[in-house]
Each structure stands twice: as structure tokens, then as C-alpha cells.
Amino acid sequence: MDLAIDGGQTGLRIGLAESGRIREIRELPGLSYAEGSPAEAVLERIGTGWGPLGTVCLGLTTILDDPGKLAGRLLSMARRVLITTDVVTSHAGAFAGGEGVVLAAGTGAIALGVGDGIRQVDGWGYLYGDAGSGFWIGRRGLDAAFRGFDGRAEPGPLTERAQAVFGDLAGLPERLYLAPDAVARIARFAVHVLELAGDPGRVVEPVGDSGRVVEGAGDPGRVVEGVGDSGRVVEGVGDSGRVVEPVGDRSRPDPTARAIAEEAARELAGTVAAAARCFTKEAAAVPVAWTGRLLRDPGLRAGFEAELARLLPQATLRPPAGDSLAGAALLAASMEPSRYQSMIRTAER
């Protein structure tokens, strides 16, 4: 049996694997830059009692202070230890070891292209990298919120939402700057920024003083009808429609949030396009896959796909064959990590 580990800032997953297939998964808190020794934090989460193992493969976003110590401790329970970044395990999972470009977009953002060569782009962390990531979006959303709170700009939906999520904004620095999970908490605010940004596929049509939003093209879709300040969503047409949810002001996207989302989409597409330079020859098609929660947002994903088509017309988007944890399991089952060898630290006993 092998142990596959996918360690990010928002969460850490451990998978017990056999012959490259995950059999059991445990989910644990993520890794924080402010937690002290990252190596110790990883060891604490893995724990003991796994029994004799063949290989432990770790795909981590965190920069390790002592990878040798981590490997040495893990060799007490396994014959071999592979330590790499989560983008390597994401690529291995997405393409099952084949060629292509993978974008791992969650709290951070990084791309890895494997073709005629290997090219990693971004993943430089929250201080000066991870463009378009969850933290990047959340941080810009909070910047806009505080501008409204201070009076440097007109207060808008982002200021209101930040107050609803974080409470009194005047006291937020004391609570957030000292928090060990500050990066993850700011990244989680990205969900609210993207919600306020709305979906560019929604068409707003004025109807009296309230307006309506028609979602979906080429089918009856969903019609959002304004009713006072609450609104309602009616699905279907004729007499068969039904009210399914309140919408309030969500039918009117916030321009500031929309601008943040659009810029994030451009940044993520630019990261992928740069990683695609690993294909030195003129490629007829460049396989591209993405992993992580961020691009599950339909509006952000639509913007990313449109910008990628502009920057890299030969890109062919495809669903990943597996995620980062699956990739770690595949690498653990491989005797030689082949094309990823230069990006993996290996220890054996």
C-alpha cells in the first residue's frame, strides 16, 4: 500500500492507495505559512499507525523548511518517499503522465506545461505571485471593501458583504493579521466577490422599474423577475413555472466585483498560455486541463476560456482524468517518475 498526500493551504487530503488507485481518503486542515515548521505541520497531520508502506508521495503547496527531516521521518513507515509540489501531482492526475498544460487554481495559482520540455509558471505565493487565484481575488475584494469603508470610494456591495462575512471592519486587522490561517480566510472571500460579479451569461432586460434576468440561451432557461427588493426566480414557461429562490440585488452584478473577476480570468489564461511554451514545435493542439475549486464558478470559467481562446487558439480544454490526490497515487505506484524527475525529491531506504 502507498500513501498519497495532497497538501494545500485550505485543506490537506491523505489517500491510502493500492496500485495507483485511491482506496480511502482522510481530509484534514490545510497548511499555513504562519504555523511554524511546515515539515512538522505535515508530519503532525499525517500521524502514525499507517503500517508498513511502499511509497509516500507528497504534493504540497507549502515551502518546506526541512525536506530532509520530513523524508527521514517518513522513511520509518515507508520504503520510499517522493516530495514534490501540488502542480506536479495535479499534472500527473490530469493527464495520467501524458503531455499538456494543467492549471491548479485554488487559494494559489500555478501552471505546469509538459511537452517538448517542462515549464512551470507562477505559483510564487501570496506575497508576489498566484495571479488570479482565490487569495488574489479575495484580497482585491477586501481592498475595494475597505475603500468604501474609509470613504475613499463610494461604499458598495463589496463593503456590505465584507461586513456581513467578517463583522466590524474597523477591528478586522487585529483579528486577521494575527490569524495563522489569514491567507486561507482571505481566499475564501473570493466566493463572495465572484457571486457579486455575477455570471456574464445572464442577460438583464429592463421591465418597468425592476427588470428581469433571462438565463440560458436556446432553451426556456430561468427567468428572474424583480418583485420589490426580494425578487424571485421562475423556472420554465407558461403556467408550469415555479418560484425556486429569492434573488434580491443579485440580478444586478457589482461593477467592481465584475472587474476583479474579469482581471482574474485574464491572469489565469495568461499563466496557462505562458506554460504552453513548453511545446517548442508548432503544435496543432495543446491539451489544457484545470484543477481546484476556483474555476468551478461559471462566470470566472467563461471569462478564462474566452481569454485562453484569444491567447492560445490551439488550446483544447479537457476535463482532468484525475485530481492532485490521484496524481500522487499514480506517482507513488511508478518505479520511475520519468518526465517529472527533475521536480521530485526522492528518498529511499
Side-chain angles (χ1 to χ4, degrees):
M1 300 292 284
D2 300 317
L3 208 59
I5 298 170
D6 172 31
Q9 297 171 70
T10 303
L12 182 143
R13 296 182 300 157
I14 300 177
L16 192 62
E18 182 179 14
S19 302
R21 298 177 65 86
I22 300 292
R23 301 299 184 192
E24 176 187 339
I25 297 177
R26 297 184 189 179
E27 297 192 2
L28 300 166
L31 301 165
S32 166
Y33 287 104
E35 199 170 345
S37 167
E40 285 292 344
V42 172
L43 289 167
E44 179 185 344
R45 284 161 175 75
I46 294 174
T48 58
W50 290 99
L53 296 167
T55 297
V56 176
C57 180
L58 305 95
L60 306 173
T61 61
T62 304
I63 298 172
L64 292 171
D65 55 331
D66 194 344
K69 174 183 177 181
L70 175 61
R73 293 270 291 275
L74 291 176
L75 284 174
S76 65
M77 65 175 78
R79 293 193 304 272
R80 184 177 66 152
V81 175
L82 306 177
I83 301 176
T84 187
T85 63
D86 68 327
V87 75
V88 170
T89 51
S90 292
H91 193 283
F95 297 107
E99 295 185 346
V101 179
V102 70
L103 172 69
T107 300
I110 185 172
L112 181 66
V114 177
D116 303 313
I118 295 180
R119 185 175 178 86
Q120 177 182 310
V121 177
D122 209 346
W124 304 123
Y126 70 99
L127 288 178
Y128 48 81
D130 293 352
S133 68
F135 175 84
W136 189 96
I137 294 170
R139 188 250 181 255
R140 277 157 180 75
L142 281 177
D143 176 85
F146 272 93
R147 288 176 184 274
F149 179 73
D150 286 341
R152 290 176 287 153
E154 190 70 25
L158 282 168
T159 300
E160 296 174 10
R161 184 62 62 89
Q163 289 171 325
V165 172
F166 294 105
D168 177 27
L169 294 184
L172 184 58
E174 287 81 1
R175 300 193 302 275
L176 197 55
Y177 276 95
L178 300 178
D181 61 342
V183 172
R185 289 172 66 181
I186 292 171
R188 285 195 288 269
F189 191 63
V191 173
H192 301 280
V193 178
L194 294 174
E195 180 186 339
L196 291 171
D199 185 342
R202 293 157 57 105
V203 180
V204 181
E205 299 178 352
V207 179
D209 294 329
S210 58
R212 65 175 185 162
V213 179
V214 181
E215 297 184 335
D219 56 44
R222 303 166 72 232
V223 180
V224 182
E225 297 179 342
V227 181
D229 292 330
S230 60
R232 62 176 184 167
V233 177
V234 181
E235 290 188 334
V237 292
D239 295 330
S240 60
R242 62 191 181 93
V243 177
V244 294
E245 64 178 73
V247 291
D249 290 330
R250 285 183 292 168
S251 60
R252 297 183 178 89
D254 173 49
T256 303
R258 172 65 66 82
I260 293 171
E262 289 175 347
E263 188 179 356
R266 290 192 294 269
E267 292 286 1
L268 294 172
T271 295
V272 170
R277 293 175 190 155
C278 64
F279 292 91
T280 55
K281 297 180 237 180
E282 193 66 32
V286 175
V288 175
W290 56 265
T291 65
R293 294 185 177 93
L294 193 62
L295 283 170
R296 294 178 188 174
D297 179 83
L300 181 63
R301 186 171 65 252
F304 162 74
E305 291 176 354
E307 182 66 9
L308 184 62
R310 187 185 72 82
L311 294 175
L312 191 68
Q314 66 269 42
T316 57
L317 280 163
R318 62 174 65 176
D323 61 8
S324 181
L325 193 66
L330 287 173
L331 291 175
S334 304
M335 293 307 297
E336 293 292 338
S338 61
R339 63 178 74 234
Y340 306 113
Q341 195 151 11
S342 64
M343 304 183 71
I344 297 176
R345 183 186 182 110
T346 303
E348 298 180 274
R349 63 175 170 87

